[in-house]
Amino acid sequence: MSHYQITSLEHYHEAYAESVSNPDKFWGDIAEENFKWMKKWDNVCDWNFSEPKVEWFKGAQLNITENCLDRHLEERGNKLALIWEPNDPKERFIRYTYRELYEKVCQMANVLKKHGIKKGDRVAIYMPMIPELTISVLACARIGAIHSVVFAGFSAHSLADRINDAEAKMVLTSDGLYRGAKEIPVKRVVDEALQTCPSVKTVLVAERTRWAVNMVEGRDFWLHDELDTVNKECPAEPMNSEDMLFILYTSGSTGKPKGVVHTCGGYMVYAGYSFKNVFQYEESDIYWCTADIGWITGHTYIVYGPLINGATTVMFEGVPTFPDAGRFWQVCDKYGVNQFYTAPTAIRALMAKGEDHVLSYSLDSLRVIGTVGEPINEEAWQWYYIHVGKEKCPVVDTWWQTETGGIMISGLGKHSPMKPAHAGYPLPGIQPVLLDQEGNEIEGNEEEGYLCVKHPWPSILRTTYGDHERCRVTYFSHYKGYYFTGDGARRDENGMYRIIGRVDDVINVSGHRFGTAEIENAINANDLVAESAVVGYPHDIKGQGIYAYVITKNPVQNEDILRAEIVETVVEEIGKIAKPDKIQFVSGLPKTRSGKIMRRILRKVAEGDTSSLGDTSTLLDPDVVDEIKNGAL
Ligand code: WTA
């Protein structure tokens, strides 16, 4: 029996049992059977969660792009690797076979080299969802440069922070972008960011919108001109298994976003294994994940996971509702998509537009449909299962994180039982536990607790870039000997996991993570603001909305104007995706005598539940609670 592909529920149970009793053998077999290594490892896994130090396949050498491209050339050279669907359905799509993608990646890699990029250098990629984005990611990996993709909806300020934290030498970008009805001058954002980024020496600009852009002599180059000057072969750089592959910034409960680091060997193995099994991908399937490559979902399940498996992966530039709410389903029918992977927020947004859009397409090619990024409520799950999956496709509700690199808890295509709003069982190799306040493991079912993991899996984060202590404190210090996810979860009577949501000060807006402190800092950057406190509240489409309580320095003259100004500040500091949904002006915040904001109260008010605010006697100024309650939006 192949170790790589799970083919039944029974097989899953066997594989799971083996992965727990002998993880080294389990992962060693998978790595050996299905991947191309330049040199074999000495040890499968060395680890401790106290430093933490986690090393997979130590001593091995590989290049992930050989596994994504070169090794498929012989058998799949003419198979489609990438289908690119533009924002506007009237524009032509672009397709690359494995051979064509291989050549494009080699060319791009040669351009990077020509501009002095070497193994270990950091390259920031701030691009829309165009083929050059996938090609850039792989080109970095080809030569051992560390990519840091920044979602092209972040502001100049956020981009600059990320570039500076990683000391990137180069930025890859585009002239502009189309997203739905919007047009965004991407290069202009880069120009603004680079005013404060001394490490960047070169900017390569892909042509997308053909807008006139400012090109700085000696720094900025058009990508198409550069590609013409290089050849189509570029040897894959031998990488040590634990060399960095990429950095991806994500928000936590404190401070500024941190650079989650993934390394070559373990990430490759887990991206390949999890993709194959969750989606049950078969050779002639067309697979589509609607995420943006700016997020981890796009890294692992648009680029690396599918390509490692020789799959055909669809990349979509647009949004679910443009030109109308049938766009996703039209694309599914157009390409005969077999596996479709999207976010609950998209499902809810489409659900709100009614069934007609989805019912006008056949969708009969679909076999597995998935969701990721936030809890999916039962109503949205049913809608997805009935109207999209036609009650014949398993819904894989995949729970995972930027830090986990790949899917941790999920059904495996049709081989797992499913239950609405439940992610289900852990993948082989994943050992989740529920802990109580004191850090004791909670045994048995029908229990709820803090979701932790007690053994490393190959794609666990290795560090946070430039600050290992932050990694230790954030993930490995709450409960000694465990990786702490920041989520709360429940095990049902059959041991299936339901993810309840974050238990820390992270809010999840349309599947995007923000720290409350991060948004507060952005709001406080407005000169008129003295202090603020941000909480999440239930939002019909976004899952969670952003509710901000703001204290101004001077009495407010016109609330609406001030709200608009504060929103504008947040857009400048972080980006449009972090816009507060509601801003309530207050004269004070509920603080304890030690100065800590009691967020519990703010959350309750934001949720519209003011009946049970609990004990407020420890507050410095209990009267402030009445004011907040009376002014609730
Ligand atoms: C949440 C996205 C419930 C969770 C891959 C996690 C989910 C955070 C699910 C990570 C799911 C992700 N059900 N909640 N299926 N998937 N989450 O880093 O709170 O952007 O901690 O990674 O999203 O978000 P991130």
Side-chain angles (χ1 to χ4, degrees):
M1 198 167 9
S2 157
H3 290 277
Y4 192 60
Q5 186 175 9
I6 306 272
T7 51
S8 65
L9 183 58
E10 198 187 0
H11 186 177
Y12 161 74
H13 287 303
E14 276 168 33
Y16 190 81
E18 189 197 335
S19 77
V20 173
S21 63
N22 196 347
D24 281 15
K25 172 155 186 343
F26 178 79
W27 289 113
D29 286 350
I30 286 171
E32 185 144 357
E33 256 177 48
N34 290 281
F35 297 88
K36 189 167 179 230
W37 304 85
M38 296 167 172
K39 182 169 167 269
K40 228 189 120 175
W41 50 90
D42 304 318
N43 252 344
V44 175
C45 182
D46 289 313
W47 67 286
N48 70 67
F49 276 173
S50 48
E51 294 176 57
K53 184 187 85 167
V54 179
E55 295 174 331
W56 281 90
F57 310 110
K58 190 81 198 269
Q61 286 196 324
L62 73 145
N63 187 293
I64 195 167
T65 69
E66 269 201 342
N67 285 268
C68 289
L69 300 169
D70 307 53
R71 67 166 168 158
H72 301 310
L73 293 181
E74 204 170 307
E75 257 180 66
R76 305 189 177 99
N78 295 321
K79 177 177 173 174
L80 287 182
L82 184 69
I83 299 175
W84 176 76
E85 173 68 19
N87 181 52
D88 180 348
K90 291 196 281 299
E91 196 182 330
R92 243 192 100 64
F93 59 92
I94 297 176
R95 312 190 294 184
Y96 295 102
T97 63
Y98 268 91
R99 172 152 302 278
E100 287 163 343
L101 186 61
Y102 164 83
E103 288 174 356
K104 293 275 174 205
V105 168
C106 286
Q107 272 183 301
M108 178 79 91
N110 284 329
V111 171
L112 300 186
K113 280 208 243 178
K114 179 181 157 191
H115 285 277
I117 299 299
K118 294 185 303 297
K119 179 174 176 170
D121 288 342
R122 275 81 54 212
V123 173
I125 306 178
Y126 186 76
M127 269 190 188
M129 283 288 283
I130 54 178
E132 287 85 345
L133 172 51
T134 298
I135 294 167
S136 300
V137 163
L138 294 167
C140 288
R142 185 84 180 163
I143 63 171
I146 299 163
H147 56 78
S148 166
V149 182
V150 180
F151 172 64
F154 278 117
S155 67
H157 194 131
S158 293
L159 173 61
D161 278 351
R162 286 158 173 76
I163 290 173
N164 288 330
D165 188 75
E167 295 177 283
K169 273 172 105 173
M170 180 186 265
V171 178
L172 297 168
T173 188
S174 71
D175 44 7
L177 75 74
Y178 302 121
R179 191 181 287 138
K182 293 195 197 107
E183 302 187 342
I184 297 166
V186 181
K187 175 64 164 62
R188 216 191 294 156
V189 180
V190 172
D191 287 339
E192 194 188 327
L194 292 192
Q195 289 175 1
T196 55
C197 299
S199 60
V200 174
K201 303 293 177 255
T202 315
V203 178
L204 300 178
V205 187
E207 196 170 52
R208 173 63 185 113
T209 54
R210 302 188 175 226
W211 298 334
V213 298
N214 165 51
M215 296 293 277
V216 175
E217 176 82 38
R219 186 195 75 179
D220 301 354
F221 301 86
W222 286 106
L223 193 55
H224 55 268
D225 290 341
E226 295 303 295
L227 288 168
D228 283 343
T229 66
V230 296
N231 69 39
K232 296 179 179 167
E233 291 293 331
C234 174
E237 182 75 29
M239 302 296 286
N240 292 328
S241 189
E242 284 299 334
D243 282 341
M244 283 187 203
L245 175 63
F246 66 84
I247 305 170
L248 187 58
Y249 286 84
T250 190
S251 298
S253 49
T254 54
K256 56 184 177 107
K258 48 191 171 286
V260 168
V261 170
H262 286 289
T263 57
C264 297
Y267 176 81
M268 169 178 80
V269 169
Y270 200 74
Y273 180 78
S274 55
F275 173 78
K276 177 75 181 173
N277 288 299
V278 169
F279 298 103
Q280 290 289 313
Y281 183 86
E282 296 295 343
E283 186 61 35
S284 56
D285 290 344
I286 308 285
Y287 161 88
W288 180 22
C289 166
T290 69
D292 191 292
I293 293 174
W295 313 113
I296 190 69
T297 304
H299 281 59
T300 310
Y301 299 111
I302 295 176
V303 183
Y304 289 116
L307 296 178
I308 285 166
N309 286 283
T312 301
T313 179
V314 178
M315 175 179 184
F316 177 47
E317 185 184 36
V319 298
T321 48
F322 178 84
D324 61 49
R327 184 69 166 123
F328 274 0
W329 323 126
Q330 179 244 330
V331 176
C332 283
D333 276 4
K334 177 174 177 184
Y335 299 117
V337 169
N338 303 106
Q339 290 93 358
F340 177 75
Y341 191 28
T342 196
T345 187
I347 297 168
R348 288 191 296 262
L350 296 176
M351 194 166 89
K353 305 267 180 190
E355 271 104 66
D356 289 354
H357 294 282
V358 60
L359 296 182
S360 32
Y361 298 94
S362 97
L363 301 181
D364 59 6
S365 57
L366 289 176
R367 231 175 46 231
V368 178
I369 56 178
T371 73
V372 58
E374 42 172 328
I376 180 165
N377 48 311
E378 178 141 7
E379 196 189 353
W381 192 100
Q382 294 291 358
W383 190 88
Y384 196 37
Y385 180 66
I386 294 169
H387 297 297
V388 179
K390 313 292 181 199
E391 299 181 65
K392 67 178 170 53
C393 300
V395 174
V396 289
D397 175 354
T398 66
W399 172 82
W400 58 298
Q401 310 178 295
T402 305
E403 295 85 346
T404 69
I407 296 168
M408 302 284 280
I409 300 182
S410 164
L412 307 178
K414 64 174 187 218
H415 302 312
S416 310
M418 59 178 176
K419 181 172 173 186
H422 286 65
Y425 295 107
L427 264 68
I430 307 305
Q431 300 186 34
V433 291
L434 298 177
L435 300 187
D436 65 18
Q437 288 284 8
E438 281 76 48
N440 303 309
E441 282 186 29
I442 302 171
E443 307 282 336
N445 293 334
E446 298 196 73
E447 295 285 356
E448 202 171 303
Y450 299 110
L451 182 61
C452 293
V453 188
K454 70 173 179 190
H455 189 281
W457 59 100
S459 63
I460 185 175
L461 87 160
R462 300 300 195 265
T463 189
T464 46
Y465 192 80
D467 191 352
H468 193 63
E469 178 62 6
R470 190 165 178 204
C471 171
R472 188 188 70 77
V473 170
T474 311
Y475 306 106
F476 298 93
S477 68
H478 294 77
Y479 304 108
K480 296 256 170 304
Y482 298 92
Y483 164 77
F484 174 51
T485 64
D487 282 318
R490 184 183 162 77
R491 259 191 316 258
D492 78 355
E493 64 279 13
N494 299 310
M496 292 177 88
Y497 284 88
R498 181 164 75 83
I499 310 303
I500 297 163
R502 302 288 305 197
V503 294
D504 53 7
D505 289 322
V506 168
I507 44 187
N508 191 326
V509 186
S510 300
H512 303 149
R513 279 166 66 169
F514 298 102
T516 50
E518 183 187 2
I519 301 174
E520 287 160 8
N521 288 340
I523 292 173
N524 299 348
N526 187 304
D527 287 341
L528 305 171
V529 172
E531 197 183 351
S532 62
V534 164
V535 295
Y537 72 97
H539 186 287
D540 285 347
I541 305 284
K542 299 177 177 187
Q544 279 189 297
I546 299 172
Y547 195 120
Y549 297 88
V550 173
I551 305 175
T552 54
K553 287 180 187 157
N554 303 308
V556 179
Q557 305 292 342
N558 181 322
E559 291 202 347
D560 286 340
I561 293 179
L562 189 53
R563 279 196 188 100
E565 282 180 22
I566 291 172
V567 166
E568 196 41 49
T569 308
V570 174
V571 169
E572 268 171 39
E573 293 288 314
I574 305 177
K576 287 210 177 73
I577 49 178
K579 271 186 191 173
D581 297 278
K582 294 185 179 179
I583 298 176
Q584 180 182 347
F585 295 105
V586 294
S587 67
L589 292 167
K591 287 188 183 170
T592 60
R593 277 167 228 282
S594 58
K596 203 167 167 310
I597 297 174
M598 274 182 113
R599 284 173 193 277
R600 179 175 56 80
I601 293 174
L602 297 178
R603 259 184 238 121
K604 284 265 181 207
V605 173
E607 283 165 14
D609 171 12
T610 49
S611 56
S612 53
L613 292 182
D615 181 16
T616 55
S617 61
T618 56
L619 290 178
L620 196 57
D621 175 11
D623 290 346
V624 85
V625 175
D626 285 328
E627 184 210 315
I628 289 177
K629 252 166 52 178
N630 295 335
L633 300 170

